[in-house]
């Protein structure tokens, strides 16, 4: 393993700041927020049901459920849009956080086994406990995400050098395979569970109760705020453990707080939308292209860009297979692959 | 000088010994899978049947049920093991096995689409899966190309493509009826249940051509492993050799996937096991293939007999065995501080 994987050094950070400057980045953040708002409106306004534009605004703010269009907004599109906002932000921040604390360009809930952990416990809940409602079995997904994250990080960080990228990625791949085969073993014996699981597994925003969102919201809020507060510490971590320690960072505490936030965010996002891949991997890399390597900016950019992308993907999924639809997890994978490959081809990202 | 010769001789002796032991393990597992099952046939009777004797019932069980399945396990394991060793060796990255970088996912996606949307089966299905593997491999290679191939860029691109393809598979599974989806899922787990000669011959035909090619090509491997510049300096035609070997390894993985599904972890874990058995031997292609064959044969045996009354797919067993082994390997390597 000779490819250098440490993030760009402080010289790059200074250069990036000189090039962009904080005001420009602040304005960019505003632009990202506007893009997100536009995507939210799009997600409310576009879909297979026929909804007049004036019903959209009314359906959100003062719904009259006797009007069909307003009922669709209230019952279908508003929960769906909120689900996209929450799950997208959570995944974007979680991805950036994972890449920061693990100093690992490959960090993603999918790659590091967190999704697989959520899947295996969801299947357990469906097949053993006979739970049928997402609002019931999501908490098992949450539990599984925690266990998998702890397992992967624990194994990956054994030894002198701590959690190096390669060790973490290998531990993640191995854990994913173990949990995946446990999931398969359960599913193959039980076709009813399999039938439910195959729809959960693609990752989707439709059919989510507001209840689920309310349950997930506190976890995302706590995880998100603590992630944003970790920005400066992540910048120090990027210099390497020894330098970070020299700068007065308690690196173990930073990593533990970060990992706890990741688990909260990924677990809640998976609970809302199922395992959505790519978003947590691709969006922070895209954000880094705009902001440079400063995590104080990467984190908020990821928090805004990821839900914008997720909502856009969801809208595309509603339009391309009418009258049916393509689940958003499929679209994010397809849409995410293109910029992802472009990003990977840039030398500095590969060596991050 | 004399010392160097002695070291070389000892290394060669160890290589022969390890290969011999692995071969014995493969043969033992092969014999075990021919003799045992719902009822036990003594080895002597099996040998007599293979030689052309035996009664009708024994002939049917050995020649039609157990032999094709055991041969298939042997070849699938060998192909995956060799393919993984070539990938990991050439790209100098332990993550760069065909199952990680999307080649198996490409074969799977093509096969799932072909069987569920177009209703293909048999050799046509194998051909489609092989095509899917090669196209995916080519796409990953081309997309990762940037004045040469770096192992990490290729792994990242491969993971990206693989993720996209897996979601296509999941989507196709939501669009079909539950029985069909479940059959596809069984195949996607990697299974040798109910495999017959019709599954064996396409793989055999491909392997007869590709295995020798890969082994001949592997003579360029030591030079390539020194890194592009050093290899070029030694006169190796770096890109041409690497491309040829990768194409070979991709086709091997694609054919094996067509025959048995993407059997988890064999390509990933066989080469590290072989390299640990033979430190200092480079990519250890033949031992990797033997480890793969032993792994799939014994895993399939366990899959058939582990849970009475149920035939598990072999992929579940290889993952359940292979992945903890990798975790153990990681934990151990980490403790002594060599964890990458």
């Amino acid at each position: 393993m000779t490819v250098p994987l440490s993030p760009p050094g402080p010289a790059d950070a200074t250069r990036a700041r000189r090039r962009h400057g904080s005001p420009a980045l602040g304005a960019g953040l505003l632009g990202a927020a506007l893009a997100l708002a536009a995507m939210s409106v799009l997600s409310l306004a576009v879909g297979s049901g026929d909804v007049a534009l004036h019903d959209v605004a009314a359906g959100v703010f003062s719904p009259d459920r006797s009007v069909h269009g307003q009922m669709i907004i209230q019952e279908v599109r508003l929960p769906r849009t909120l689900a996209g906002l929450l799950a997208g932000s959570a995944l974007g921040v979680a991805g950036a956080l994972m890449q920061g604390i693990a100093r690992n360009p490959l960090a993603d809930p999918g790659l590091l086994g967190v999704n697989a952990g959520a899947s295996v416990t969801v299947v357990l809940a469906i097949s053993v406990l006979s739970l049928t409602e997402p609002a019931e079995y999501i908490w098992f997904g949450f539990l599984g995400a925690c266990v998998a994250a702890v397992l992967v990080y624990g194994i990956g960080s054994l030894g002198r050098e701590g959690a190096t990228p390669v060790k973490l990625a290998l531990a993640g791949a191995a854990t994913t395979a173990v949990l995946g085969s446990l999931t398969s073993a359960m599913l193959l014996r039980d076709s009813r569970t399999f039938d439910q699981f195959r729809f959960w597994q693609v990752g989707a925003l439709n059919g989510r109760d507001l209840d689920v969102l309310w349950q997930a919201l506190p976890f995302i809020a706590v995880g998100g705020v603590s992630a944003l507060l970790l920005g400066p510490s992540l910048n120090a971590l990027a210099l390497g453990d020894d330098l970070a320690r020299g700068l007065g960072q308690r690196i173990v505490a930073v990593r533990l707080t970060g990992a706890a936030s990741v688990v909260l965010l990924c677990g809640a996002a998976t609970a809302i939308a199922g395992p959505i891949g790519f978003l947590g991997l691709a969006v922070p890399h895209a954000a880094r292209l705009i902001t440079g390597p400063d995590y104080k900016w990467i984190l908020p950019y990821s928090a805004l860009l990821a839900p914008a992308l997720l909502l856009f993907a969801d809208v595309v999924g509603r339009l391309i297979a009418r009258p049916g639809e393509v689940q958003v997890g499929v679209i994010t994978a397809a849409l995410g692959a293109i910029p992802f490959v472009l990003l990977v081809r840039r030398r500095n990202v590969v060596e991050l | 000088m004399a010392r160097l010769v002695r070291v070389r001789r000892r290394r060669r002796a160890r290589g022969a010994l390890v290969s011999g032991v692995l071969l014995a393990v493969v043969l033992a597992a092969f014999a075990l899978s021919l003799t045992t099952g719902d009822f036990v046939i003594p080895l002597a009777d099996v040998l007599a049947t293979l030689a052309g004797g035996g009664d009708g019932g024994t002939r049917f069980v050995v020649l039609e049920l157990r032999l094709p399945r055991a041969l298939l396990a042997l070849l699938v394991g060998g192909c995956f093991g060799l393919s993984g060793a070539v990938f990991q060796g050439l790209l100098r990255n332990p993550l760069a096995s065909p199952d990680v970088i999307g080649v198996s996912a490409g074969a799977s996606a093509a096969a799932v689409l072909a069987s569920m949307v177009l209703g293909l089966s048999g050799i046509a299905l194998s051909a489609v899966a092989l095509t899917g593997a090669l196209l995916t491999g080519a796409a990953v290679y081309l997309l990762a190309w940037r004045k040469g191939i770096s192992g990490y860029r290729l792994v990242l691109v491969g993971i990206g493509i693989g993720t996209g393809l897996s979601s296509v598979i999941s989507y196709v599974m939501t669009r079909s009826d539950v029985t069909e989806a479940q059959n596809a899922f069984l195949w996607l787990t990697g299974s040798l249940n109910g495999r017959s000669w019709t599954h064996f011959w396409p793989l055999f035909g491909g392997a007869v051509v590709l295995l020798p090619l890969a082994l001949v090509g592997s003579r360029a491997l030591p030079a390539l492993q020194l890194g592009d510049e050093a290899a070029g300096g030694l006169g190796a035609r770096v890109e041409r050799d690497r491309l040829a070997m990768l194409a070979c390894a991709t086709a091997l993985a694609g054919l094996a996937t067509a025959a048995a599904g993407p059997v988890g972890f064999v390509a990933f874990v066989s080469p590290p096991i072989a390299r640990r058995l033979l430190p200092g031997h480079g990519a250890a292609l033949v031992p990797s293939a033997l480890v793969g064959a032993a792994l799939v044969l014994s895993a399939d045996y366990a899959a058939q007999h582990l849970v009475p009354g149920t035939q598990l797919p072999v992929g579940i067993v290889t993952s359940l065995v292979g992945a903890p082994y990798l975790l153990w390997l990681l934990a151990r390597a980490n403790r002594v501080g060599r964890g990458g």
Side-chain angles (χ1 to χ4, degrees), chain A residues 1 106 155 158-159 161 164 166-167 170-171 174 177-178 181 185 187-189 191 194 198 202 278 327 333 340 345, chain B residues 94-95 143 145-146 152 156 160 167 170-171 173-174 176 182 185 265 310 313 316 319-320 323 327 330 334 337 339-340:
Chain A
M1 216 42 35
L106 300 180
I155 292 168
L158 282 173
E161 312 101 318
T164 64
V166 175
K167 274 153 64 176
L170 282 173
V178 179
S181 54
L187 289 175
L188 286 167
R189 297 169 63 86
S191 59
F194 171 75
R198 66 183 170 140
V202 285
F278 250 120
Q327 290 88 348
F340 177 73
R345 287 172 56 81
Chain B
L95 284 174
L143 289 170
W145 174 271
R146 194 167 177 265
Y152 244 93
L156 278 166
S167 79
S170 302
Y171 174 66
M173 298 221 308
T174 64
S176 51
Q182 200 155 21
F185 185 67
F265 250 75
T310 312
I316 288 189
S319 301
L320 285 181
L327 289 176
L330 272 172
N334 288 353

Side-chain angles (χ1 to χ4, degrees), chain B residues 307-320:
Chain B
V307 187
T310 312
Q311 293 235 330
L312 287 174
V314 62
I316 288 189
V317 181
T318 55
S319 301
L320 285 181

Side-chain angles (χ1 to χ4, degrees), chain B residues 49-76:
Chain B
T49 312
L50 290 179
D55 57 61
T58 320
R59 286 191 68 81
F60 177 73
V61 171
V62 172
L63 295 182
E64 293 303 318
L65 298 180
R66 292 184 189 167
L67 186 61
R69 182 170 185 155
L71 284 173
L72 201 53
L74 183 86
L75 268 187
V76 164

Side-chain angles (χ1 to χ4, degrees), chain B residues 98-229:
Chain B
D99 32 0
V100 176
I101 65 165
V103 170
S104 301
S108 305
V112 165
L113 278 171
S115 72
M116 296 177 83
V117 180
L118 304 175
L120 296 181
S121 63
I123 287 198
L125 191 64
S126 296
V128 172
L130 176 62
T131 313
L134 287 171
L135 284 179
T136 311
V140 171
Y141 193 84
L142 289 176
L143 289 170
W145 174 271
R146 194 167 177 265
K147 290 187 220 139
I149 286 289
S150 113
Y152 244 93
R153 192 164 55 234
L154 190 105
V155 170
L156 278 166
V157 170
I159 285 172
I161 304 283
T163 311
L165 290 168
S166 311
S167 79
V168 170
I169 296 174
S170 302
Y171 174 66
V172 174
M173 298 221 308
T174 64
R175 305 279 292 181
S176 51
D177 76 63
V178 66
T179 324
E180 255 181 61
Q182 200 155 21
N183 283 335
F185 185 67
L186 180 69
W187 181 82
L188 285 169
T189 317
S191 169
L192 292 167
N193 298 342
R195 292 294 187 271
S196 63
W197 290 108
T198 51
H199 300 94
F200 172 75
W201 290 119
L203 177 60
F204 180 74
V208 161
V209 178
L210 290 168
L211 286 175
L213 272 182
L215 291 177
V216 169
S218 73
R219 281 181 306 186
L221 201 55
L224 290 174
Q225 281 185 320
L226 295 173
D228 288 1
E229 279 162 31

Side-chain angles (χ1 to χ4, degrees), chain A residues 96-97 100-102 227 230-239 249 254 258 295 299:
Chain A
L97 199 53
I101 54 174
L230 280 176
S233 307
L234 293 180
N235 286 341
L237 274 190
L239 303 174
Q249 292 290 333
V254 170
Y295 276 95
L299 286 163

Side-chain angles (χ1 to χ4, degrees), chain A residues 154-238:
Chain A
I155 292 168
S157 58
L158 282 173
R160 275 205 293 275
E161 312 101 318
T164 64
V166 175
K167 274 153 64 176
L168 270 186
L170 282 173
T175 307
T176 303
V178 179
L179 298 174
S181 54
L182 282 175
T183 311
S184 306
M186 282 190 281
L187 289 175
L188 286 167
R189 297 169 63 86
D190 179 357
S191 59
R192 189 185 56 86
T193 308
F194 171 75
D195 200 21
Q196 266 185 291
F197 178 78
R198 66 183 170 140
F199 290 101
W200 185 81
Q201 189 198 18
V202 285
L205 298 175
N206 53 325
R208 303 297 178 231
D209 290 346
L210 279 173
D211 286 354
V212 179
L213 304 182
W214 283 119
Q215 280 172 311
L217 183 62
F219 293 95
I220 293 178
V222 171
V225 169
S226 81
L228 292 176
L229 293 178
L230 280 176
S233 307
L234 293 180
N235 286 341
L237 274 190

